[in-house]
Amino acid sequence: MTLLIDFKHFGSPAGSESESSERQSGALSMAELGGAAVLPGMAVAGERPVRPAGPGRGDEPFSPSVLGTREHWDAAYERELQTFEDIGDAGEIWFGEESMVRIIRWLEKQKVPLDSSVLDIGTGNGVLLIQLARSGYTNLTGIDYSPSAIQLSEKVREKEGMSNIKLKVEDFLAPSAELSGFEICIDKGTFDAISLNPDNAVGKRKQYVRSLCSVLKPEGFFLITSCNWTKEELLKEFREGFEILEELPTPKFCFGGRIGNSVTALVFQRKKVNMNVAVKEG
């Protein structure tokens, strides 16, 4: 199961030494989680995405947050870009290095061809693409709606000598015509951020699914890692046009004598049937 606590939808900053040791042991205690309700490395004082309780919450599973705005991420990546230029640090790895290993292991287990077209949705600093390239994958594209994020990922790409990685400033909710035909789409935290947008988050989530249908080939794979959504909730969000293939193992924590997951990682496959039918709203 995935156990979500209202004050902890986002885990502790990924990639820290304390978290790394806990991940290696396979369990996270509530003390280590610490109730930090922000995306890794992007702490914002006073901003905690919480689930509205009681009648009237409707389709809005989370309260709006600055973490769902483009302005926040532009500013965040401008800071990370400056840090990279100053000391060569690429910044945080969302959900830690273990999340990248989990994705690559699944691709290798499925014997996904190394020349398969892969799209990293909301690539940020592009570190996931670097790791995929190191693992032998050759047809890699990363997009982000923040120009600062793409500038950062371009500099990381240059530093690592991975010139074959394609990077684009692109809003996934309004994809260009060229963004299509991908065999693999990967999301580590982007759907989470969209879900916190103060401006019609429900509509943006539905648009995300439509965009995913337009860029991913029929029978293509969609790998999503989320710290806000349970497996059951994600199944509902992506019920139109997708079927679940597998739930990937993720770090666990103990709370009140019960064991839960700190994040959810699922693999979907786009359905072949009705592949040209747009996802219905409503």
Side-chain angles (χ1 to χ4, degrees):
M1 74 170 180
T2 302
L3 178 61
L4 289 181
I5 311 301
D6 277 353
F7 55 82
K8 200 289 304 173
H9 289 297
F10 289 101
S12 301
S16 64
E17 291 183 4
S18 62
E19 187 188 43
S20 296
S21 61
E22 288 301 319
R23 288 184 183 278
Q24 290 170 4
S25 69
L28 292 172
S29 68
M30 208 59 201
E32 270 69 42
L33 288 171
V38 297
L39 286 168
M42 301 298 179
V44 178
E47 288 294 335
R48 293 193 171 190
V50 296
R51 292 174 180 262
R57 58 178 278 184
D59 292 329
E60 292 284 1
F62 306 106
S63 295
S65 167
V66 67
L67 294 169
T69 66
R70 181 178 304 199
E71 292 77 13
H72 169 75
W73 295 111
D74 282 340
Y77 282 113
E78 284 173 9
R79 292 192 297 270
E80 292 208 358
L81 178 60
Q82 186 61 55
T83 299
F84 182 84
E85 292 174 342
D86 290 343
I87 62 175
D89 183 356
E92 296 287 349
I93 300 172
W94 285 23
F95 307 118
E97 292 185 7
E98 186 267 349
S99 65
M100 299 190 297
V101 172
R102 179 169 57 237
I103 290 169
I104 293 170
R105 282 180 178 170
W106 187 86
L107 295 173
E108 292 175 342
K109 177 184 174 183
Q110 300 301 316
K111 295 182 170 55
V112 173
L114 295 178
D115 62 352
S116 298
S117 53
V118 178
L119 177 65
D120 184 15
I121 303 168
T123 193
N125 58 17
V127 172
L128 172 59
L129 295 172
I130 297 296
Q131 294 303 316
L132 286 166
R134 287 175 177 169
S135 298
Y137 294 92
T138 60
N139 191 358
L140 304 171
T141 300
I143 62 168
D144 204 293
Y145 68 5
S146 171
S148 298
I150 294 301
Q151 290 177 43
L152 174 60
S153 58
E154 286 174 341
K155 289 184 177 294
V156 173
R157 176 184 64 182
E158 180 181 0
K159 178 183 178 182
E160 299 295 334
M162 301 292 187
S163 59
N164 60 311
I165 296 174
K166 297 180 286 289
L167 298 166
K168 301 178 181 179
V169 177
E170 184 115 26
D171 184 352
F172 189 67
L173 299 185
S176 64
E178 302 86 55
L179 203 70
S180 63
F182 288 92
E183 294 163 291
I184 310 287
C185 287
I186 301 173
D187 180 320
K188 289 200 308 108
T190 298
F191 188 71
D192 283 350
I194 288 172
S195 303
L196 300 174
N197 193 291
D199 181 21
N200 188 20
V202 173
K204 284 179 168 57
R205 296 200 319 265
K206 291 178 179 179
Q207 180 56 51
Y208 182 102
V209 178
R210 287 193 292 271
S211 295
L212 187 60
C213 284
S214 72
V215 305
L216 184 62
K217 283 184 175 180
E219 300 186 277
F221 300 117
F222 172 54
L223 292 81
I224 182 170
T225 303
S226 169
C227 52
N228 260 13
W229 297 89
T230 65
K231 173 184 177 180
E232 291 72 21
E233 289 169 334
L234 288 173
L235 289 177
K236 181 179 179 181
E237 291 293 313
F238 293 94
R239 65 187 181 276
E240 296 287 349
F242 297 89
E243 58 186 0
I244 182 71
L245 284 188
E246 188 174 349
E247 179 177 14
L248 304 182
T250 59
K252 300 181 183 300
F253 66 87
C254 181
F255 179 74
R258 302 181 67 186
I259 301 297
N261 290 37
S262 57
V263 298
T264 302
L266 302 180
V267 181
F268 289 92
Q269 185 171 31
R270 188 181 166 199
K271 295 177 182 177
K272 186 175 181 179
V273 180
N274 296 328
M275 61 183 180
N276 293 320
V277 177
V279 178
K280 296 180 179 179
E281 293 190 36

